[in-house]
Amino acid sequence: MKIKKLLTVSVLFMLIISGCVSIDPLLNKFESKETKLVRQYIAEGEALEKEDLFSNALEQYKLALTVDPESEEAVQHKKNVLSKLWQRAQLHYKKGIKLDEQGKYEAARKEYLSALQNWPDHKGAKDKLTPGEVEEEKKDYIIHTLKYGESVSQLAMIYYGDFKKHTIIGKFNVLKDVTKVRVGEKIKIPVIENIPLQKLKQRQKNYFDSQKTVSPVAVPEKPEKKIEPIVEEVKVEVETIQPPVVEETEPKQELIEENMQKEAVQMPEPSFEENKKEISENYEQGIDLFNKKKYPEAITSFMAAAELDPKNESLLDYLFNSHFQQGLALFNSKEYLSAKDHFESALKYDENCEKCPDYIEKCEETYKEKHYNLGIHYFGKEQLSKAIEEWNLVKEIDPDYKEVTPNLKKAEMLYKRLESIKQGKSE
């Protein structure tokens, strides 16, 4: 019996050496359950890493280490994944900081949350998600109703003496983006450290008093007063020349016009302050029309204001939205080319508009498809003039669209033949 066992082992050993039998299955038989489990966890972790699911992969490596804390492979995998998670967390955190500085708090908040998803103990992200400098116990505040030309940064300067503190106001009011505030919006100005409620109220009073002292904008009357002495000087000149009575009016009128032109050149251009009343009127009228969904009229009012204040972000934002909404309305009314024009205008006011290029393309494609199919419909009914008209509309925009060019040639040729036959019969 012993001899048989020895022979079996010897044969098996020879087979392994010759490569006829793999050693792995044999070793696996002798592996412990713990070792197999560790291998399984590591394999699952590696698969999750390939799918960029690092947090889930980390859990697998932790499970492997609970089974075998000494597993060098699991330890190394854990270190690599932690490094990647930290890098990702930092990337999201830095993006959040930039968005915070721009006053885009909702977008910044998402980045901070993403940072915490990758690294739950990220102190910077945690701090950014908690309101800073506002006294939690009191939460006292005053209300400031926004007027034309005011911004959240300006309010931070008025009440805190530092425009960078716009983040405090923005977060306290749960604003998604401080650049998207509107005239008439009520903004809460919270009490912060070293600036109590009474000081806020005093600063508000001082600000409003300073606004009252600014006189209403009016066109200066000086140019009108200067015209009178010009006329008197002309009269003196005319009397000394003593021309015939009939010709007196001509040199007099010429001199008046010449002097008025000189005077007009000397008149200063109206300043922004002088235009402020007109800008405000057009702006408020535009908002009213926009809210009533009268977008073309709103665009006219906003454009009038933008000509005098071309860098006003709120105006540009309203112009974008007015064009975009009018584009949607026209698209739904099947006025595709007009809709396309408005989407293109909207894109000029906001180059980051993601939907605009899609709508522009959709407008053109829908327009071409509509008129191409109508051409086929009319051609089938032998209404050649209408078919030609429809296909010409398509060809003007895209001569290579489907079979529009050969179809058009065929329709025109048939139409000419029919017309020549009709003329022959009439003769």
Side-chain angles (χ1 to χ4, degrees), residues 272-420:
F272 175 77
E273 288 299 322
E274 291 170 342
N275 289 327
K276 194 171 181 181
K277 185 178 180 182
E278 186 180 347
I279 295 168
S280 181
E281 287 174 358
N282 283 313
Y283 182 80
E284 289 171 8
Q285 185 182 27
I287 292 172
D288 182 54
L289 291 165
F290 181 87
N291 292 334
K292 291 176 180 177
K293 298 184 179 180
K294 295 182 179 180
Y295 303 119
E297 294 89 341
I299 289 167
T300 304
S301 293
F302 290 134
M303 283 294 291
E307 284 178 7
L308 300 172
D309 189 8
K311 294 182 180 179
N312 189 299
E313 290 184 5
S314 183
L315 270 172
L316 299 178
D317 185 45
Y318 262 119
L319 277 165
F320 161 74
N321 282 305
S322 298
H323 278 292
F324 190 83
Q325 292 300 326
Q326 181 63 9
L328 290 176
L330 290 167
F331 184 86
N332 292 330
S333 301
K334 298 182 180 180
E335 297 179 44
Y336 301 115
L337 288 189
S338 298
K340 181 190 170 193
D341 291 339
H342 279 281
F343 287 127
E344 286 175 346
S345 296
L347 190 60
K348 289 177 183 176
Y349 289 108
D350 185 0
E351 294 177 354
N352 297 320
C353 174
E354 294 179 359
K355 293 182 179 179
C356 290
D358 294 336
Y359 273 114
I360 290 166
E361 185 180 353
K362 194 174 181 181
C363 284
E364 188 172 313
E365 287 301 314
T366 309
Y367 176 85
K368 289 188 291 188
E369 186 179 1
K370 173 190 171 183
H371 291 288
Y372 182 80
N373 290 337
L374 278 172
I376 292 171
H377 170 76
Y378 288 128
F379 187 84
K381 289 195 170 188
E382 297 181 1
Q383 297 177 4
L384 297 176
S385 61
K386 288 185 177 180
I388 291 167
E389 185 180 340
E390 295 296 332
W391 283 333
N392 268 323
L393 291 173
V394 179
K395 189 180 178 183
E396 284 175 6
I397 295 176
D398 186 0
D400 298 322
Y401 185 76
K402 294 185 178 180
E403 300 295 318
V404 69
T405 300
N407 285 353
L408 190 56
K409 286 180 180 178
K410 188 187 291 185
E412 287 173 341
M413 183 179 68
L414 287 171
Y415 183 75
K416 285 177 182 176
R417 284 182 185 176
L418 288 171
E419 287 299 308
S420 62

Side-chain angles (χ1 to χ4, degrees), residues 63-76:
L63 287 170
L65 288 168
T66 56
V67 176
D68 181 9
E70 303 298 324
S71 173
E72 290 183 7
E73 190 178 0
V75 169
Q76 190 58 46

Side-chain angles (χ1 to χ4, degrees), residues 41-108:
Y41 285 138
I42 290 173
E44 287 177 5
E46 288 173 341
L48 289 165
E49 273 194 77
K50 289 177 181 177
E51 296 178 18
D52 283 347
L53 300 171
F54 296 115
S55 295
N56 295 337
L58 181 63
E59 292 302 316
Q60 294 299 317
Y61 299 139
K62 284 180 178 178
L63 287 170
L65 288 168
T66 56
V67 176
D68 181 9
E70 303 298 324
S71 173
E72 290 183 7
E73 190 178 0
V75 169
Q76 190 58 46
H77 274 299
K78 182 183 174 184
K79 283 181 180 178
N80 291 340
V81 168
L82 284 171
S83 175
K84 289 174 183 177
L85 286 170
W86 172 252
Q87 288 172 10
R88 283 193 170 189
Q90 280 294 92
L91 185 65
H92 285 293
Y93 175 69
K94 287 175 181 178
K95 283 184 180 177
I97 293 288
K98 286 183 180 178
L99 290 166
D100 235 341
E101 288 172 354
Q102 295 167 12
K104 297 178 180 179
Y105 303 124
E106 184 64 20

Side-chain angles (χ1 to χ4, degrees), residues 45-247:
E46 288 173 341
L48 289 165
E49 273 194 77
K50 289 177 181 177
E51 296 178 18
D52 283 347
L53 300 171
F54 296 115
S55 295
N56 295 337
L58 181 63
E59 292 302 316
Q60 294 299 317
Y61 299 139
K62 284 180 178 178
L63 287 170
L65 288 168
T66 56
V67 176
D68 181 9
E70 303 298 324
S71 173
E72 290 183 7
E73 190 178 0
V75 169
Q76 190 58 46
H77 274 299
K78 182 183 174 184
K79 283 181 180 178
N80 291 340
V81 168
L82 284 171
S83 175
K84 289 174 183 177
L85 286 170
W86 172 252
Q87 288 172 10
R88 283 193 170 189
Q90 280 294 92
L91 185 65
H92 285 293
Y93 175 69
K94 287 175 181 178
K95 283 184 180 177
I97 293 288
K98 286 183 180 178
L99 290 166
D100 235 341
E101 288 172 354
Q102 295 167 12
K104 297 178 180 179
Y105 303 124
E106 184 64 20
R109 185 174 174 275
K110 288 177 182 177
E111 293 295 336
Y112 296 139
L113 288 170
S114 296
L116 288 173
Q117 283 175 355
N118 286 281
W119 200 270
D121 296 323
H122 197 292
K123 188 178 181 301
K126 280 183 177 179
D127 291 343
K128 287 292 182 181
L129 287 170
T130 55
E133 295 192 52
V134 178
E135 293 183 8
E136 290 293 328
E137 294 179 3
K138 295 182 180 179
K139 289 190 177 178
D140 288 332
Y141 60 86
I142 60 171
I143 292 176
H144 184 107
T145 304
L146 278 175
K147 296 179 182 177
Y148 179 80
E150 292 179 339
S151 65
V152 176
S153 296
Q154 187 180 351
L155 297 186
M157 193 68 192
I158 292 166
Y159 293 107
Y160 302 144
D162 184 357
F163 72 91
K164 290 182 180 178
K165 292 189 185 292
H166 63 76
T167 55
I168 298 170
I169 299 171
K171 289 176 182 177
F172 190 80
N173 287 271
V174 197
L175 297 174
K176 291 182 179 180
D177 189 337
V178 293
T179 63
K180 305 292 183 184
V181 290
R182 301 279 181 259
V183 171
E185 193 169 341
K186 295 185 184 299
I187 303 294
K188 296 174 184 176
I189 312 296
V191 167
I192 63 172
E193 190 178 353
N194 298 326
I195 303 181
L197 186 65
Q198 193 58 39
K199 187 175 280 189
L200 285 179
K201 288 180 178 179
Q202 185 59 48
R203 288 183 178 182
Q204 186 175 55
K205 183 179 180 301
N206 294 341
Y207 175 69
F208 288 156
D209 288 345
S210 69
Q211 292 296 301
K212 288 176 185 177
T213 58
V214 178
S215 58
V217 176
V219 179
E221 297 181 359
K222 289 182 180 179
E224 294 181 7
K225 292 180 180 179
K226 288 182 180 180
I227 294 172
E228 293 179 4
I230 294 171
V231 176
E232 290 174 7
E233 288 174 9
V234 171
K235 286 181 180 179
V236 173
E237 289 180 9
V238 171
E239 287 174 5
T240 55
I241 295 169
Q242 294 180 354
V245 178
V246 179
E247 296 178 1

